[in-house]
Amino acid sequence: MTVRRDFQEPPRNRPDLVIGREDLFASARDQLGRGGSVLLHGPAGIGKSTVLRALATDYGGPDRTVLRCSATESESHLPFLALADLFGLVLEDVSGHLPAAQRTALESALTGRGESTLQRDGLALRLAVLSALRVLAAKGPVLVVADDLQWLDAASAELLGFAARRLGDTPVQMLSAVRTEGEEYDRHLRASPPDTLAVRLGPLTRTQVSALLDHRGYTPLSRSTIRDIHRTSGGNPLFALELGRALAESPARPRPGEPLPVPTSLRALVLSRLEMLSDEARRTLLVASAGARPTLALLRAAGREHAEAETAQAAALGLLATDPEAPALRFAHPLISAALYAEAPAQERRAVHAALSTAASDPIERARHLALATTGTDPEVAARLAEAGALARDRGAPSVAASLGLLAARHTPADSTPGPDERRLQAAEDAITAGEADLARDIARDVLTRATVPAERVRAWMVVIEAAGQALGEVDAVFPQVLADAGDDPGLLALVHYQLAWRGLVVEGDFAEARQEAAHAAELAARGADRRTELMALSFQASTETLMGHPDAPVTVKRALEEPQDPYVACHHNGAGSARFRWLIMSDQLPEARTTITALLREVRRRGMVESEVHFLRFLADTELRSGHCGRALDLARESLRLARDSGIGEGASAMLTSLAEASAGDVDRALALAREAADHAEVDGDQMYLSRALAALGYAQLVAGDPAGTVRSLRRVRELEQGLGINDPARGRWHGDLAEALVRIGEPGEAQDVIDTARVHALRLGRESVLAVLDRAEALVRAARGEHEAAVVRLTSVQDRLGRLGYGLEEARAAFALARLRDRAAAHPRSGGTAPPGPASYDEAARLFRRCRALPWLRQVDAAATAGPAAAAPAPVTPPVALDALEGLASMERQVASLVMEGATNREIAGRLFISVKTVEATLTRVYRKLGIRSRVDIVRLAAGRRTT
């Protein structure tokens, strides 16, 4: 066939984007030059792809890696096709740098082969994409070019958005385009890097349309014709060009005032151009429009013997885009494919899908085509779709699995086993995994409108409850209904009471209720022969009892570890292994705790269980921190926090632990910021349990930062929260010694002793040796503040030895530091007629121990104390050296500050002796002035001079 010249692309001297897009192009180019990203959006045919290609050509030079993908509507249902476009050519370059689980996940997604370790959450694949981009960026800047985001398969789109939100300062930029056509582009912007500039491409003016038509060779056209083209096209450049093309095909030009001799919609224009195809070529294009990723090989396998010649004809007519480097055929615009498919009779479309159901290489694609080729119910088709859903689930594409599950349900006969509602519930559970809670909830509630089988109803209610996430209080009304549906079936009741246990903890903040519900769930599951639920409930009960300081905790842990075990529960972060670790670390068995958590971490990494990996990294960091390996703890904590932020799991808990590690071995300011971030997370979630942990971390960071008043404020709230929660084991948060020490520093030794006495009762009952040693260290500080220096030194010497034998290196170093302070002060101020307590009056031992721990913030405090000398070695005695009637109405801290002013101490000296900040001294003096009716520190000195006894 001879192709008329009018259908051929004329030579171009300049890109189309220059016409009417100069400012837009410059703005986008500047944004890319600053290291930002660009999202082009607008209706179909507005020129987004043209601008995208020009920007990519202009900016994607040889000094950067350019990753490209471009989707079509027909392939949007298959997972990871865009991912294959992006990483297919660089897989060998990055796979060797990825962790094993991530490498396996990425290779499985791209090839569809190999053993997947994604489990059900797909997090390993998400992190693999993020890691792959970081690997490429380490070699040089990376530009991701993604066209037609609206047609990206859901799995690839989610992965791109996941990575984009977490790249931070990594030199990866995204240049993308999306069709909006009256739809908001915000959801695509949210899936782009935070610094993305959204650029809307609007319609061209009449002058710009004229220039575009002229540039394409559609001349000469009268002004009235151009006006009509502009009006009919609405300024859309693709529509305008198609109208100009149609005019060029017409043997007679319209006279002024006559309508254009072509339809006014692109679909009609596409169909008119399709008439120039032979019938066989049109059938070949119909097969291509139905295929997810049409290639010549696929078309031939589907029975199109002359596919090469027929697609060449379509390309010559401008219906197919030509790209020698791309194996897949692509329509010049998605609307061409959509129009072709929509115009085909239903019977012809089914025949095409039937052919593709055997020709396609991907089992998911084959199953989808089989479903579209079939009308009514068909158990074989339903089974194939269910198998494809399981494959998509294993590949880490739960959203695809959910859609396939719904198709399977549609083709499942009502009397089949499994039935249609059972497959709908599987789709709902896949939707939960995919984060599509609304879809899952809708499916479950739809099933509930007709389901009568108790097991199906309870399963549907479980989906409704899980769809609520942390907002379990919003589904309170569900629990009476699901209990009624469960009836007296122990297996079903076990599922309900396990959820009630979590409700008791999350919603009510009641450990006792949570424990009771978990124990009941375990009993019911045992009666119902549901070993997995029994083990999960026992693990939950054991963890709750451990945190409560309940005497049954060791027994429950042992029960949760009895055979037979479930491999999933054994290494799950809420499973038996985790419960055992908590009991070990709270029982001061640090070496065994480290061995246990290291083995669990190794196993979840092997399985690709990223959520559990986040938690176990944090647990291991906590173990190392207690053991005095502060540098390693900081490294592990930072890794946990990064993984938590990458995966969106456990961010608050990881921030809390990283705050403790930063305060011990890193940056104290960062520790304060992270602790406040963790507290904010817990406040928003309404999670009182983790709020208390976050505030405990904040109090510790404030203590290290030299803000004992802040420590007291934070830890007093922790005490209130834990009393309300019913947490009695002081080994859970280990904040009691810090609170007592801070209270001593602000002049409240009485309250400090009360904190110590209360915690000691529970520590003695539970045998928490390390906690008892820390409490004794704090009590030594109380005695020193009361002037009992010799008793304090003896107590601290014993404490240091005990903590060292228990393996708590950092706490041992803190005891040595406190001991050095007391000895230094005692050496500087010996009692009349006596001598200083024996022992070195230096800080060498404390410095050595802190250095061994790599506890840099504490080491800086040792250096500062050694430099400051004995005057700053320890807090002044609580009793003021001069008893003044006028000071009786002041608070303890105010009396101490006023007394030191009377002795002539400067604000800085007072701050050093009382271990508070200069600002705290100034604020305290302001309150003293107000209470005493005076104006300045000079008035305090005068007051002392007038009332001092001789």
Side-chain angles (χ1 to χ4, degrees):
M1 174 181 177
T2 303
V3 180
R4 295 169 55 182
R5 180 190 180 282
D6 289 341
F7 285 98
Q8 297 174 350
E9 284 285 318
R12 299 185 181 184
N13 298 320
R14 55 179 179 156
D16 292 343
L17 70 95
V18 174
I19 302 170
R21 307 298 191 196
E22 295 87 349
D23 293 342
L24 178 151
F25 180 79
S27 175
R29 183 67 176 80
D30 290 343
Q31 170 73 359
L32 292 171
R34 290 191 294 268
S37 298
V38 174
L39 172 67
L40 305 171
H41 64 98
I46 205 67
K48 303 179 298 297
S49 297
T50 304
V51 176
L52 185 85
R53 286 192 296 269
L55 282 168
T57 300
D58 193 50
Y59 187 70
D63 59 333
R64 68 186 68 246
T65 300
V66 180
L67 308 177
R68 301 173 187 268
C69 67
S70 181
T72 64
E73 184 177 13
S74 62
E75 66 188 29
S76 60
H77 67 283
L78 287 177
F80 311 128
L81 293 184
L83 190 69
D85 282 343
L86 289 171
F87 292 104
L89 298 179
V90 297
L91 180 59
E92 293 183 1
D93 297 333
V94 302
S95 61
H97 300 275
L98 302 181
Q102 295 182 20
R103 179 171 62 253
T104 302
L106 186 59
E107 291 174 351
S108 176
L110 296 187
T111 65
R113 299 188 299 272
E115 180 183 356
S116 172
T117 59
L118 300 180
Q119 305 295 322
R120 289 178 175 267
D121 58 7
L123 282 172
L125 179 56
R126 295 183 180 95
L127 295 171
V129 171
L130 183 59
S131 298
L133 289 172
R134 285 172 174 160
V135 168
L136 292 171
K139 302 175 183 178
V142 177
L143 178 66
V144 177
V145 181
D147 199 5
D148 285 323
L149 286 181
Q150 74 278 0
W151 300 132
L152 251 64
D153 60 275
S156 295
E158 194 276 335
L159 290 169
L160 276 181
F162 178 90
R165 293 189 296 272
R166 291 164 171 81
L167 285 168
D169 296 331
T170 306
V172 177
Q173 296 168 263
M174 183 175 287
L175 173 60
S176 53
V178 62
R179 182 193 301 180
T180 51
E181 294 195 279
E183 300 175 5
E184 295 297 326
Y185 65 90
D186 291 355
R187 65 186 182 94
H188 299 285
L189 190 61
R190 288 194 294 270
S192 302
D195 60 351
T196 298
L197 173 68
V199 178
R200 177 170 179 78
L201 278 70
L204 300 179
T205 66
R206 185 191 306 173
T207 302
Q208 292 165 346
V209 166
S210 176
L212 177 62
L213 292 168
D214 181 68
H215 174 59
R216 286 297 189 96
Y218 302 132
T219 57
L221 295 173
S222 67
R223 294 182 62 184
S224 62
T225 301
I226 291 174
R227 182 182 64 243
D228 290 341
I229 291 176
H230 180 258
R231 182 180 66 249
T232 304
S233 69
N236 185 297
L238 176 62
F239 290 5
L241 287 172
E242 291 299 325
L243 288 167
R245 189 190 299 271
L247 279 174
E249 296 172 3
S250 177
R253 299 291 176 90
R255 291 189 292 266
E258 289 184 353
L260 298 176
V262 291
T264 58
S265 68
L266 179 61
R267 178 177 174 182
L269 285 174
V270 169
L271 293 176
S272 70
R273 291 172 57 194
L274 288 171
E275 292 175 358
M276 301 196 65
L277 287 172
S278 66
D279 290 344
E280 291 302 311
R282 182 165 179 157
R283 290 191 186 95
T284 295
L285 284 194
L286 178 60
V287 176
S289 71
R293 183 177 286 271
T295 62
L296 290 174
L298 177 65
L299 295 179
R300 285 192 291 266
R304 308 311 301 165
E305 297 178 0
H306 305 292
E308 189 168 359
E310 289 158 357
T311 55
Q313 178 189 356
L317 290 170
L319 296 169
L320 291 177
T322 56
D323 186 352
E325 298 182 0
L329 300 169
R330 294 191 181 276
F331 286 87
H333 193 281
L335 288 179
I336 299 173
S337 173
L340 176 64
Y341 184 84
E343 283 297 306
Q347 185 176 357
E348 189 174 355
R349 292 200 299 266
R350 286 196 296 272
V352 166
H353 286 297
L356 288 170
S357 69
T358 58
S361 60
D362 188 274
I364 294 176
E365 185 179 356
R366 288 198 301 269
R368 173 182 170 272
H369 286 303
L370 182 61
L372 295 174
T374 306
T375 58
T377 59
D378 187 317
E380 182 181 347
V381 172
R384 289 272 299 277
L385 286 164
E387 291 172 2
L391 179 59
R393 193 178 307 119
D394 187 56
R395 287 185 183 178
S399 60
V400 175
S403 64
L404 289 168
L406 291 175
L407 276 175
R410 189 180 305 166
H411 288 284
T412 301
D415 58 350
S416 293
T417 302
D421 278 343
E422 188 170 349
R423 284 183 165 142
R424 288 187 183 93
L425 288 173
Q426 178 63 66
E429 290 163 357
D430 287 327
I432 284 284
T433 304
E436 301 174 18
D438 291 342
L439 173 61
R441 187 184 301 109
D442 291 344
I443 295 171
R445 290 197 178 278
D446 175 58
V447 170
L448 286 166
T449 60
R450 58 180 172 274
T452 57
V453 178
E456 288 187 354
R457 291 189 61 81
V458 171
R459 187 177 175 187
W461 284 124
M462 291 298 103
V463 170
V464 172
I465 292 170
E466 290 182 17
Q470 290 292 106
L472 285 175
E474 296 179 4
V475 292
D476 266 354
V478 165
F479 286 101
Q481 299 178 60
V482 68
L483 283 169
D485 284 331
D488 57 0
D489 186 313
L492 299 179
L493 286 169
L495 296 172
V496 183
H497 284 279
Y498 180 68
Q499 292 292 347
L500 284 169
W502 280 105
R503 182 194 174 279
L505 189 62
V506 174
V507 177
E508 301 296 336
D510 190 331
F511 273 70
E513 179 184 344
R515 172 187 174 272
Q516 182 178 353
E517 289 289 358
H520 190 34
E523 178 187 351
L524 289 165
R527 286 165 48 194
D530 182 354
R531 184 59 173 166
R532 172 169 289 191
T533 301
E534 180 187 7
L535 289 172
M536 290 296 290
L538 283 171
S539 301
F540 183 93
Q541 179 187 348
S543 295
T544 304
E545 289 174 348
T546 299
L547 296 174
M548 293 172 66
H550 196 283
D552 291 347
V555 176
T556 309
V557 171
K558 185 177 180 179
R559 288 178 60 200
L561 292 168
E562 289 176 353
E563 296 293 341
Q565 279 292 310
D566 182 299
Y568 172 80
V569 177
C571 63
H572 190 273
H573 58 276
N574 286 324
S578 183
R580 179 171 183 269
F581 163 78
R582 289 188 180 94
W583 183 80
L584 287 170
I585 199 167
M586 292 178 70
S587 301
D588 296 325
Q589 300 182 51
L590 295 182
E592 193 170 353
R594 182 187 293 106
T595 301
T596 298
I597 199 62
T598 300
L600 287 170
L601 180 59
R602 186 185 305 114
E603 179 64 13
V604 298
R605 280 175 165 167
R606 186 185 70 81
R607 291 170 173 261
M609 298 172 63
V610 178
E611 182 175 3
S612 293
E613 183 180 355
V614 171
H615 292 289
F616 290 159
L617 276 170
R618 177 166 52 85
F619 292 170
L620 182 55
D622 189 18
T623 307
E624 298 294 2
L625 191 61
R626 295 180 189 220
S627 302
H629 306 150
C630 300
R632 173 159 170 72
L634 181 58
D635 292 340
L636 288 165
R638 286 173 174 173
E639 184 181 355
S640 173
L641 181 59
R642 177 174 172 174
L643 193 59
R645 286 178 170 163
D646 285 348
S647 62
I649 290 172
E651 291 183 66
S654 292
M656 175 273 297
L657 198 282
T658 308
S659 170
L660 291 171
E662 290 282 358
S664 299
D667 185 321
V668 179
D669 289 337
R670 178 167 170 75
L672 291 166
L674 285 169
R676 292 187 176 103
E677 175 190 331
D680 288 343
H681 271 291
E683 292 272 22
V684 170
D685 293 341
D687 190 338
Q688 296 183 69
M689 183 171 65
Y690 264 109
L691 177 59
S692 70
R693 296 295 305 273
L695 289 173
L698 177 60
Y700 173 69
Q702 289 167 324
L703 186 68
V704 178
D707 179 15
T711 297
V712 169
R713 286 193 300 272
S714 298
L715 298 186
R716 277 174 175 165
R717 190 177 176 196
V718 173
R719 181 173 56 188
E720 294 171 1
L721 285 168
E722 294 202 352
Q723 286 174 350
L725 290 167
I727 298 174
N728 296 316
D729 191 339
R732 186 251 181 180
R734 308 180 68 88
W735 48 266
H736 309 76
D738 292 339
L739 175 56
E741 181 175 338
L743 285 166
V744 170
R745 292 191 184 187
I746 67 169
E748 298 291 348
E751 184 181 347
Q753 189 64 55
D754 288 342
V755 170
I756 294 166
D757 292 343
T758 302
R760 183 177 280 138
V761 170
H762 296 292
L764 284 169
R765 174 176 60 85
L766 296 167
R768 303 302 192 221
E769 293 297 329
S770 64
V771 173
L772 289 168
V774 169
L775 293 174
D776 284 350
R777 184 185 68 201
E779 188 170 49
L781 299 180
V782 172
R783 292 191 174 190
R786 289 172 172 165
E788 302 172 22
H789 297 287
E790 292 184 9
V793 168
V794 171
R795 178 66 60 89
L796 283 173
T797 303
S798 171
V799 165
Q800 181 183 340
D801 179 64
R802 289 157 58 195
L803 288 169
R805 283 187 281 105
L806 288 168
Y808 283 78
L810 181 59
E811 300 292 1
E812 177 191 4
R814 288 181 62 179
F817 187 25
L819 183 60
R821 279 172 161 164
L822 288 186
R823 283 174 167 166
D824 200 10
R825 187 169 185 273
H829 303 286
R831 288 174 177 78
S832 176
T835 60
S842 73
Y843 295 89
D844 291 346
E845 174 69 0
R848 182 185 69 80
L849 292 174
F850 281 130
R851 195 175 293 111
R852 184 183 68 182
C853 295
R854 282 182 56 193
L856 301 182
W858 285 105
L859 192 58
R860 286 191 286 269
Q861 286 197 34
V862 172
D863 292 341
T867 302
V878 174
T879 305
V882 180
L884 298 173
D885 294 340
L887 303 187
E888 289 180 358
L890 301 180
S892 175
M893 172 60 73
E894 293 166 352
R895 288 197 305 271
Q896 290 187 74
V897 170
S899 297
L900 290 171
V901 169
M902 292 174 180
E903 292 182 356
T906 66
N907 286 2
R908 185 172 298 278
E909 290 170 342
I910 296 171
R913 292 175 67 176
L914 296 182
F915 293 96
I916 59 178
S917 68
V918 174
K919 288 186 178 180
T920 301
V921 174
E922 293 170 349
T924 304
L925 282 174
T926 299
R927 294 194 299 272
V928 170
Y929 300 156
R930 185 176 63 251
K931 290 181 178 181
L932 297 181
I934 58 180
R935 296 184 179 181
S936 68
R937 61 188 295 122
V938 175
D939 291 333
I940 295 180
V941 175
R942 288 172 178 167
L943 184 63
R947 298 207 178 192
R948 188 182 298 272
T949 58
T950 58

